[in-house]
Amino acid sequence: MTLDQFKYIYFLGIGGIGMSALARWFQVNGYPIAGYDKTSTALTDALQTEGMTIHFTEDVEQIPASFRENPAETLVIYTPAVPKTHPEYIYFTEHGFTLQKRSQVLGLLAGQMTTIAVAGTHGKTTTSSMVAHILRDADVNCAAFLGGITNNYGTNFLLNQPADDLRSVVCVVEADEFDRSFLTLFPKYAIVTSTDADHLDIYGAHDAVLESFGTFVSQIEPDGVLFMKKGLTLADKTKAAVRQYSLQSGDYFSQNLRIEQASFVFDLVYPQGVISNIQLMVPGFHNVENAVAAGAVALETGVSPDAIRSALNTYRGVRRRFEYVLKTDAAVLIDDYAHHPAEVRAFLSSVKALYPDRELTAVFQPHLFSRTRDFAEGFAESLSLADNVILLDIYPARELPMEGVTSDLIFRDVQSKTKQLCTKAELPGVVQQMKPSLLVTIGAGDIDQLLPTLKNTMMYQ
C-alpha cells in the first residue's frame, strides 16, 4: 500500500492525541479530512476550526458523501480503542474501504524519514517533546508526532520543511507500546525510558511487555543507536550500538543537580564532555533524566552542546505533565498525567523536593479498572508519599466495570496522615474546606476538567 493512491482520509477516533497529529499531517499535505469521535473536546474544536469535518454520533450518514462514494480512494485510519462493533467500522469493512491502524500509517510516514523513536511505559511524551524542541530550536529540519500538546508550540505535531530527500528530514515519533503499536517503526535512533509492567489488559503478563520491547529494539537500523535507561535488559536484542543513561550514572548522566528558585539545575555529562548549567523550567528528577536522554540523542544527530543547553533552558513542557495551574505565595496547584505507580512516585517525590516546607495534598483519579486491579498495592505505596490523599472514582476509559474493582482497593492501603474517598462533584467542596497550600491532581482520565474550578477555589487572599 502507498499513500499516494488515496484522495480522502477518514479518521475513526480523530480526537485522540496521536490520531489528531496524523490528521494534521495529512491536511497540511492537501488531503480532505473527516472523522468521528465519541465526544467533543477542545482538541476536536481546534481540528474543526482548522477545516476538518467531524461528527460525534455513530451515524454512517454523517460521513461526507464524497468519502462514502469513493471507497477505493478513501483511506480509513482507526484507533484500537474503537470497538469492532462500531457501526462505522462495520460499514467500512463491508464496503471495500482500506482500513489501517494509526500505528501502521505512522510507520509508513516515518519510514520515509530518519526516525528517532522514543518508547517506554512512562516518560516518552516528555522525552520525545524535548527531542523535538531541541531539534527545532537548533534549526534541524524535523517533523514530530507527539503524545501530548507541547507548551512551546501549542500542538502535538510539528511539520518539517520541504526536502528533495526525505531521509534528510528527522522524524521524532512517540513510540507507543499499547497494542504493540510501536512495532510498525524501524528507527535509526531509539530511546527506551522504561519497560515496567503496564497495559496488562493487552499483554497479560510483564514478560510479554518485555518481549515486545525486545522486538522493538531489534528493529533499530543496524548502524543506528539505542539509548537505553541504565538497568534495562535490552542490549542483547539489537544489532545497533547501545548507550546507557540515567539520572546519576551511565554513558550520559546528570551531575551537580540542585534546586534553585523551584527549578532543577544540572550539568549533563556525556562521553566527550559536559554541558554545564542547564536550567530546566519543567521541574522533577524524572524530567532531568528525560532531558539527559533527549540531550544524548541530540548530540548523536550533530546538535552542538551549546544549542542543547539553549533549547533545554527554553523547554516549557507538555500539557498535563508537571503543569502549574496556580502558583502564588499562598497556594500552588500542579496537574500531572501520571497513571502508573512509578510515575506517581516520581512526580510526588519531585513535588516534595521542590516544596519541602508545605504539606502536600494529592488528588488521584485511577485510570482503568484493570490497571487499578493489577497495581493497587503500588498505587497505595506511591500515594502514601503525600501527607493527605483524596481518591476519586476509577475513570473507565475503554473498559466496562469489573466486579469488586473500585478505588477502595487502593484506598485501604494508603498510609498518609489523612485520606478520603470522594466523587468528582464533591471534590471542589472538599478542597474549599481543606484550603491546602500545595495541591496536586494526578491521573490520565478527565480530572483535568476540574482544574478551572479548583484554581478559583484556591485563589486565597
Side-chain angles (χ1 to χ4, degrees):
M1 188 193 84
T2 59
L3 296 176
D4 56 11
Q5 72 190 77
F6 300 105
K7 184 178 178 182
Y8 306 97
I9 312 292
Y10 187 86
F11 286 83
L12 195 50
I14 195 169
I17 285 290
M19 291 282 277
S20 62
L22 269 188
R24 283 170 160 150
W25 187 91
F26 279 105
Q27 187 185 51
V28 165
N29 284 277
Y31 291 85
I33 304 297
Y36 157 87
D37 209 279
K38 189 175 182 179
T39 55
S40 174
T41 64
L43 185 49
T44 57
D45 290 346
L47 298 179
Q48 288 175 304
T49 300
E50 292 165 21
M52 302 183 200
T53 302
I54 302 175
H55 62 275
F56 303 96
T57 55
E58 300 178 4
D59 182 4
V60 170
E61 294 300 315
Q62 291 200 49
I63 301 169
S66 56
F67 289 67
R68 284 186 281 120
E69 294 167 1
N70 294 283
E73 296 181 310
T74 299
L75 173 62
V76 178
I77 303 174
Y78 70 98
T79 170
V82 172
K84 300 296 189 292
T85 56
H86 193 287
E88 293 186 24
Y89 182 89
I90 294 171
Y91 172 81
F92 287 128
T93 55
E94 291 181 348
H95 288 80
F97 288 80
T98 299
L99 285 85
Q100 294 279 290
K101 290 183 181 179
R102 168 193 169 269
S103 58
Q104 294 172 304
V105 177
L106 183 56
L108 284 174
L109 294 180
Q112 302 175 72
M113 297 175 268
T114 297
T115 300
I116 299 173
V118 182
T121 45
H122 40 265
K124 56 184 174 287
T125 299
T126 296
T127 306
S128 57
S129 65
M130 282 178 171
V131 173
H133 177 61
I134 292 170
L135 296 178
R136 180 56 60 93
D137 199 61
D139 294 325
V140 175
N141 190 5
C142 72
F145 297 89
L146 307 172
I149 304 296
T150 62
N151 291 323
N152 287 89
Y153 306 102
T155 181
N156 55 340
F157 164 64
L158 299 181
L159 179 67
N160 59 282
Q161 296 298 314
D164 293 333
D165 178 12
L166 279 176
R167 285 292 291 179
S168 69
V169 177
V170 179
C171 181
V172 182
V173 179
E174 178 171 330
D176 191 358
E177 76 280 358
F178 174 73
D179 198 39
R180 298 175 172 85
S181 294
F182 60 176
L183 299 186
T184 65
L185 299 170
F186 295 80
K188 173 81 169 182
Y189 308 105
I191 297 172
V192 178
T193 65
S194 49
T195 57
D196 292 341
D198 199 6
H199 301 301
L200 298 186
D201 56 322
I202 300 294
Y203 286 97
H206 191 195
D207 284 347
V209 177
L210 295 174
E211 181 182 359
S212 193
F213 273 95
T215 303
F216 168 70
V217 301
S218 76
Q219 298 176 177
I220 303 171
E221 295 179 17
D223 60 343
V225 183
L226 166 62
F227 296 88
M228 178 182 75
K229 182 175 176 180
K230 188 176 180 181
L232 299 184
T233 55
L234 295 171
D236 63 339
K237 307 296 184 182
T238 182
K239 295 179 180 178
V242 177
R243 297 182 190 151
Q244 299 188 65
Y245 75 92
S246 75
L247 186 65
Q248 296 178 315
S249 63
D251 300 308
Y252 305 83
F253 60 94
S254 67
Q255 69 178 14
N256 297 327
L257 175 58
R258 64 268 190 201
I259 297 173
E260 297 179 358
Q261 298 178 337
S263 294
F264 282 65
V265 183
F266 65 99
D267 303 335
L268 195 165
V269 180
Y270 62 100
Q272 290 78 36
V274 178
I275 307 175
S276 59
N277 293 317
I278 296 170
Q279 185 168 358
L280 203 59
M281 296 171 64
V282 179
F285 296 110
H286 56 303
N287 284 328
V288 172
E289 187 171 75
N290 293 335
V292 169
V297 75
L299 285 166
E300 184 67 29
T301 61
V303 179
S304 73
D306 286 344
I308 291 170
R309 180 196 299 108
S310 176
L312 288 174
N313 286 352
T314 59
Y315 174 74
R316 292 169 46 207
V318 181
R319 291 181 193 170
R320 301 222 58 220
R321 270 71 171 184
F322 215 115
E323 183 176 14
Y324 279 96
V325 180
L326 178 67
K327 190 177 183 182
T328 68
D329 291 339
V332 174
L333 171 59
I334 306 172
D335 179 51
D336 197 88
Y337 192 72
H339 54 284
H340 184 279
E343 295 171 338
V344 174
R345 187 181 310 110
F347 172 62
L348 292 179
S349 297
S350 297
V351 173
K352 287 173 70 70
L354 279 172
Y355 297 99
D357 299 327
R358 295 199 187 208
E359 189 169 271
L360 172 57
T361 300
V363 182
F364 181 57
Q365 181 188 48
H367 183 262
L368 296 177
F369 294 99
S370 59
R371 185 178 281 129
T372 303
R373 176 199 63 200
D374 295 335
F375 301 114
E377 184 178 344
F379 280 125
E381 182 182 348
S382 298
L383 288 167
S384 296
L385 289 171
D387 299 293
N388 311 295
V389 171
I390 303 170
L391 268 173
L392 303 184
D393 295 331
I394 297 169
Y395 183 80
R398 58 186 179 270
E399 292 184 337
L400 295 174
M402 295 181 177
E403 185 176 353
V405 179
T406 68
S407 295
D408 192 59
L409 285 180
I410 300 170
F411 181 80
R412 63 194 184 196
D413 291 327
V414 171
Q415 302 298 313
S416 299
K417 185 174 70 174
T418 73
K419 59 181 181 178
Q420 60 181 304
L421 295 165
C422 81
T423 65
K424 279 177 57 184
E426 295 168 338
L427 182 61
V430 170
V431 171
Q432 187 172 33
Q433 185 176 16
M434 293 179 68
K435 289 186 167 49
S437 64
L438 176 59
L439 179 71
V440 297
T441 51
I442 313 168
D446 61 357
I447 190 172
D448 59 310
Q449 294 179 358
L450 293 174
L451 293 175
T453 301
L454 295 177
K455 180 179 179 179
N456 289 335
T457 300
M458 294 180 65
M459 295 290 285
Y460 312 135
Q461 297 298 321

